[in-house]
Amino acid sequence: MSDIKSISLDKFKSLIEINTRINLSYGDSRALLASILESVMCMVQCEAASLLLVNREDGRLHFSIALGPKGAEVKKIEVDKNSIAGWVAQNKQSVVINDVGSDPRFNSSVQDKTDYISKNMIAFPMCVGDECVGVIELINKASDIPFNDDDLMILELLGKQAAIAYENARKYRSNMFEIDALHNAMNAGRDYHTFIAKSPAVLSILDNIDEASSTNSSVLIIGESGVGKELFAEQVHLRSLRRDKPFVRVSCAALSPALLESELFGHVKGAYTDAVSDVKGRFETADGGTIFLDEIGELPLALQSKLLRVIQERKFERVGSSRTVSVDVRIIAATNRNLEDMVHSGTFRNDLYFRLNVLTLNVPPLRERKEEIEPLCALFLDKFKKETHKNFEGFSESSLSEIYSYSWPGNIRELENTVERACIIGRPPFIQVGDLRLPVKKTESGIQGEIQNCVSEIASSEDVSLKNALNAFKKKYVLKILEENGWNQTAAAKALGIQRTYVSKLISELGIRN
């Protein structure tokens, strides 16, 4: 091995500069490691460089960072443990190979998929403690000259520091998430959920909430099921002048029409068989504060007129009473349904819709606010590791990659359930890909097979008319899209490119059942 004295002054200055950057940068480990790889490529003068992270479950590796002519392509490829990188990870030893094709450890799968020929390479194990977490590879020395010991020494010097920086950044990120969660919890109080805002879309919604904080106008929150509409309702209340007054939650879909009326407006003794005493409703309980009406689209027409009067006059009567009750309440409503379509179909009052729709907050789905995925994962992991009494430190890089690539049709609710399940079946210290149990994406051949099976099934039926064939195919296809979107009709309608009301109509007409 070469001595450090053999390094040129320019390269030595570069090493010092990179070392300084490593010691000062903790927030974004991926950007930091990419910067290190770029610097190593320049110092060693090679065509490509990559960082492969090791999956603890099966020893396979995936490209976390890939620089060079085929960087974008290789990031989609997994590398088997029976490869040069796999050998380096297992044995925790660096290698210099100047004839890659003839090396017995060489696995040609990446080369076959990208048509990029690896002539020579250096591979270095990036270790944290006694564990190899990844492998750094430098590919194809410039001008077709071989790699030498000086090149290996530079990579090892930086690789060891990169491993330390990687671990420091991971701990820093974990600590920052905990601090953010604690800060939010302190601000929100025990009765409110922790609120995480990282994405531009959510921060923009908070700006709108702040602008309307001094008003008493009604707010309508719309968005897919599971996006956290209740949490945004809490923020409307907490950022308003009513923050020290009651915040009352009501699910309009949870009760029958008769019980819902009593729940909202209260009743007097003798109003019905079981009414043995006077009872205040949620509107009276919320007097001076805010009432949150979740799933407002499920409110029966008979109650819609009574709610409209409360919004207009702030007055109502308890069930079984003629005495008028006055309240000072701000109303926040939420729904995952298209209220405009319901107005057109006559199932939702037009005047009530316009009274509610003073300030509309359109909460984006989780797939459009990926900046919040990792903080949410950390929040849920902290919650469920305590409940399961397991000392998880975090998520493996491969599991995070899987989480980011999944579309989350069930949004935050599905993410929370996934983390809970992973904590139950997983083993510390890290959540692995297999613990997530996410739906497997079907291959193109698998989809073609499904279509062929559907055609065969229709052709073998007694009624082979075109009308029956189209209806049979529509039923299977709509059912498939509904299942992929967790039976969220709004999300399914978006995927199908049709109105949500038409999805409901197809479910009814085609006899689709969950």
Side-chain angles (χ1 to χ4, degrees), residues 454 458 463 465-478 502 506 509-512:
C454 180
I458 294 168
D463 185 356
S465 65
L466 181 60
K467 180 181 178 181
N468 180 62
L470 289 172
N471 285 337
F473 178 77
K474 277 198 291 186
K475 180 175 181 178
K476 286 184 175 293
Y477 189 69
V478 172
Y502 188 49
L506 287 172
E509 288 181 349
L510 299 173
I512 297 172

Side-chain angles (χ1 to χ4, degrees), residues 416-465:
E416 182 175 11
N417 291 342
T418 298
V419 175
E420 180 179 14
R421 179 172 59 244
C423 286
I424 292 171
I425 65 178
R427 290 187 297 177
F430 294 100
I431 299 293
Q432 303 295 340
V433 173
D435 303 332
L436 301 173
R437 303 287 175 90
L438 293 174
V440 178
K441 295 177 182 177
K442 288 187 173 69
T443 63
E444 187 174 343
S445 60
I447 295 169
Q448 289 174 347
E450 281 191 7
I451 294 172
Q452 186 60 48
N453 290 338
C454 180
V455 171
S456 300
E457 186 179 326
I458 294 168
S460 62
S461 65
E462 292 183 6
D463 185 356
V464 293
S465 65

Side-chain angles (χ1 to χ4, degrees), residues 184-478:
N184 286 330
M186 289 174 64
N187 286 340
R190 291 176 297 173
D191 296 331
Y192 299 99
H193 297 86
T194 299
F195 190 88
I196 291 174
K198 300 285 185 183
S199 68
V202 170
L203 293 172
S204 177
I205 292 174
L206 292 181
D207 288 340
N208 292 336
I209 291 173
D210 288 336
E211 288 174 6
S213 61
S214 61
T215 73
N216 292 317
S217 302
S218 300
V219 179
L220 178 61
I221 304 174
I222 58 176
E224 295 177 8
S225 179
V227 294
K229 294 185 286 294
E230 183 178 342
L231 277 69
F232 283 87
E234 291 175 356
Q235 290 301 308
V236 173
H237 175 71
L238 290 169
R239 293 164 183 259
S240 74
L241 300 177
R242 298 171 179 265
R243 66 179 68 89
D244 296 324
K245 300 296 183 179
F247 178 75
V248 177
R249 303 166 175 86
V250 182
S251 174
C252 298
L255 299 170
S256 67
L259 290 176
L260 182 58
E261 183 178 14
S262 176
E263 183 78 6
L264 288 172
F265 305 110
H267 62 258
V268 295
K269 182 179 179 180
Y272 49 87
T273 305
D274 295 327
V276 295
S277 62
D278 291 358
V279 174
K280 281 185 177 182
R282 295 300 184 94
F283 271 100
E284 285 182 82
T285 304
D287 191 23
T290 305
I291 189 167
F292 172 54
L293 304 176
D294 198 10
E295 304 293 350
I296 191 69
E298 310 304 321
L299 192 69
L301 275 170
L303 289 184
Q304 289 179 26
S305 58
K306 199 165 183 177
L307 175 60
L308 178 63
R309 184 187 172 207
V310 176
I311 297 175
Q312 291 175 329
E313 303 176 12
R314 301 295 192 239
K315 295 178 181 179
F316 61 90
E317 289 80 36
R318 291 181 183 175
V319 177
S321 172
S322 59
R323 185 176 69 85
T324 299
V325 178
S326 297
V327 290
D328 172 23
V329 175
R330 187 181 193 181
I331 296 173
I332 304 173
T335 183
N336 62 0
R337 301 183 67 178
N338 189 322
L339 294 186
E340 288 188 9
D341 287 349
M342 294 181 68
V343 168
H344 293 149
S345 65
T347 55
F348 200 86
R349 290 182 62 117
N350 184 58
D351 45 7
L352 177 58
Y353 172 64
F354 287 114
R355 281 289 185 176
L356 291 172
N357 193 25
V358 177
L359 173 63
T360 301
L361 304 179
N362 193 344
V363 181
L366 185 58
R367 60 183 173 275
E368 294 177 11
R369 40 198 269 223
K370 293 196 172 183
E371 297 90 341
E372 277 139 32
I373 288 179
E374 201 166 343
L376 284 168
C377 285
L379 176 69
F380 297 144
L381 181 66
D382 185 62
K383 173 184 176 181
F384 294 119
K385 75 179 184 182
K386 291 173 182 175
E387 291 185 7
T388 57
H389 305 289
K390 293 182 179 180
N391 190 27
F392 284 105
E393 294 180 19
F395 296 79
S396 69
E397 285 289 337
S398 56
S399 66
L400 277 177
S401 178
E402 188 78 6
I403 287 169
Y404 273 108
S405 64
Y406 183 58
S407 62
W408 297 107
N411 294 293
I412 296 173
R413 187 179 297 123
E414 183 183 7
L415 177 62
E416 182 175 11
N417 291 342
T418 298
V419 175
E420 180 179 14
R421 179 172 59 244
C423 286
I424 292 171
I425 65 178
R427 290 187 297 177
F430 294 100
I431 299 293
Q432 303 295 340
V433 173
D435 303 332
L436 301 173
R437 303 287 175 90
L438 293 174
V440 178
K441 295 177 182 177
K442 288 187 173 69
T443 63
E444 187 174 343
S445 60
I447 295 169
Q448 289 174 347
E450 281 191 7
I451 294 172
Q452 186 60 48
N453 290 338
C454 180
V455 171
S456 300
E457 186 179 326
I458 294 168
S460 62
S461 65
E462 292 183 6
D463 185 356
V464 293
S465 65
L466 181 60
K467 180 181 178 181
N468 180 62
L470 289 172
N471 285 337
F473 178 77
K474 277 198 291 186
K475 180 175 181 178
K476 286 184 175 293
Y477 189 69
V478 172

Side-chain angles (χ1 to χ4, degrees), residues 19-35:
N19 182 62
T20 302
R21 197 184 314 155
I22 289 172
N23 290 327
L24 292 176
S25 301
Y26 294 121
D28 190 341
S29 60
R30 191 177 297 273
L32 172 61
L33 291 167
S35 175

